[in-house]
């Protein structure tokens, strides 16, 4: 699976409609998006919990209403030609892309946003995607994944794993497999042995974040199920 990380973020500003459009154009299988909550408890699509890196705003996402967040420029930092790109709401993304491409939703820092799992579940239900095979939900916060899986039992879920899971045990993988279908690790800890262990536990594996063709080729040879990449064309070339 070719998973466009924050959209085709190597070619357009991450987590914007421009990046998602580019991912669709490049025939990615999924767009990966990050979800947080605005001050008025509405799900918005942005990676950092602050505005400083990817917009002309400053401060925490949670300090601004959706309307205030929508007034910011989320494109100029990447390239002047993307001036005026906005922070999308989750509703916008689901409405525009829910029937067009698979969507991998990361619950970003859910410990900062009590109730975010319910908000995402409500949004999916609104667009009749709460039983869809086109949606996967994941997080580094594994209790949040458990909560989401309880709210959305028909939706596929995944756990994200950092470098601290380099020596993940078979028992840990079995525990993950009890409530999730994906174990998605940092590419630095990915190996053919880890791929085999994850598959033996009954899960799939899609490492993150591939930024070079060499990384894509190396992971592809390990037998991974997907590549989470800023450059979806790298993964697409391997399918040919």
């Amino acid at each position: 699976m070719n998973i466009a990380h924050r959209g085709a973020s190597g070619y357009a500003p991450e987590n914007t409609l421009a990046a998602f459009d580019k991912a669709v154009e490049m025939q990615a299988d999924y767009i990966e998006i990050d979800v947080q909550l605005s001050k008025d408890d509405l799900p918005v699509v942005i990676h950092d919990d602050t505005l400083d890196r990817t917009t002309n705003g400053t401060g925490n996402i949670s300090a601004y209403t959706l309307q205030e967040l929508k007034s910011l420029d989320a494109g100029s930092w990447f390239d002047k030609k993307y001036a005026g790109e906005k922070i999308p709401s989750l509703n916008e993304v689901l409405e525009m892309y829910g029937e067009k491409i698979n969507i991998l939703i990361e619950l970003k820092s859910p410990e900062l946003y009590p109730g975010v799992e319910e908000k995402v579940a409500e949004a999916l239900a609104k667009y009749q995607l709460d039983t869809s095979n086109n949606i996967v939900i994941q997080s580094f916060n594994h209790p949040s994944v458990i909560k989401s899986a309880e709210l959305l039992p028909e939706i596929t879920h995944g756990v994200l794993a950092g470098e601290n899971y380099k020596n993940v045990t078979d028992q840990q993988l079995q525990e993950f497999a009890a409530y999730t279908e994906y174990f998605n690790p940092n590419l630095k800890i990915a190996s053919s042995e880890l791929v085999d262990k994850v598959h033996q536990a009954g899960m799939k594996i899609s490492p993150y974040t591939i930024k070079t063709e060499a990384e894509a080729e190396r992971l592809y040879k390990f037998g991974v199920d997907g590549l989470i990449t800023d450059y979806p064309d790298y993964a697409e070339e391997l399918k040919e």
Side-chain angles (χ1 to χ4, degrees):
M1 293 172 296
N2 178 358
I3 304 165
H5 180 242
R6 309 177 198 169
S9 56
Y11 300 101
E14 63 180 62
N15 278 321
T16 64
L17 302 186
F20 303 146
D21 286 341
K22 189 68 175 177
V24 172
E25 177 190 324
M26 300 180 90
Q27 299 183 310
D29 298 308
Y30 281 81
I31 52 172
E32 184 265 352
I33 67 174
D34 301 288
V35 173
Q36 305 193 54
L37 293 183
S38 64
K39 184 178 181 179
D40 43 353
D41 281 336
L42 298 173
V44 294
V45 177
I46 186 169
H47 177 270
D48 298 1
D49 55 24
T50 59
L51 295 161
D52 304 61
R53 182 176 65 86
T54 59
T55 78
N56 61 337
T58 59
N60 295 330
I61 306 301
S62 59
Y64 296 86
T65 65
L66 176 60
Q67 184 176 358
E68 289 169 337
L69 292 171
K70 298 291 287 180
S71 71
L72 300 173
D73 178 347
S76 293
W77 69 273
F78 187 88
D79 190 290
K80 290 180 181 178
K81 69 180 180 180
Y82 291 109
E85 282 292 323
K86 303 300 182 186
I87 298 172
S89 67
L90 177 60
N91 281 0
E92 282 180 277
V93 174
L94 296 179
E95 183 174 7
M96 294 181 67
Y97 303 97
E99 301 296 331
K100 189 179 292 187
I101 191 170
N102 301 312
I103 303 175
L104 174 57
I105 299 171
E106 179 178 346
L107 301 175
K108 199 72 187 176
S109 305
E111 61 277 6
L112 299 177
Y113 308 104
V116 65
E117 299 88 358
E118 287 89 350
K119 293 293 183 180
V120 170
E122 290 168 11
L124 290 173
K126 178 178 179 179
Y127 294 98
Q128 299 182 322
L129 294 168
D130 51 331
T131 60
S132 174
N133 293 328
N134 299 337
I135 302 293
V136 179
I137 296 174
Q138 65 178 2
S139 184
F140 284 102
N141 184 314
H142 301 163
S144 179
V145 177
I146 293 173
K147 183 176 181 181
S148 179
E150 290 171 349
L151 290 167
L152 295 162
E154 296 186 60
I155 292 291
T156 300
H157 284 78
V159 293
L160 284 162
E163 293 181 59
N164 55 316
Y165 280 92
K166 181 177 182 179
N167 298 312
V168 65
T169 65
D170 291 335
Q171 181 179 344
Q172 285 175 307
L173 290 173
Q174 288 296 338
E175 290 171 358
F176 290 140
Y179 61 88
T180 191
E181 290 81 19
Y182 280 91
F183 178 84
N184 294 339
N186 186 301
L187 64 86
K188 293 179 181 178
I189 66 170
S191 64
S192 57
E193 292 78 16
L194 179 60
V195 171
D196 289 344
K197 286 174 67 173
V198 171
H199 286 162
Q200 287 167 12
M203 293 182 291
K204 294 180 180 180
I205 179 169
S206 300
Y208 68 90
T209 302
I210 288 79
K211 296 180 183 291
T212 69
E213 291 182 85
E215 288 171 346
E217 290 172 5
R218 179 175 66 89
L219 293 163
Y220 184 77
K221 289 175 182 175
F222 291 160
V224 299
D225 299 286
L227 297 173
I228 300 176
T229 177
D230 292 351
Y231 300 90
D233 47 331
Y234 294 170
E236 202 59 30
E237 288 167 5
L238 292 169
K239 293 182 179 182
E240 297 173 358

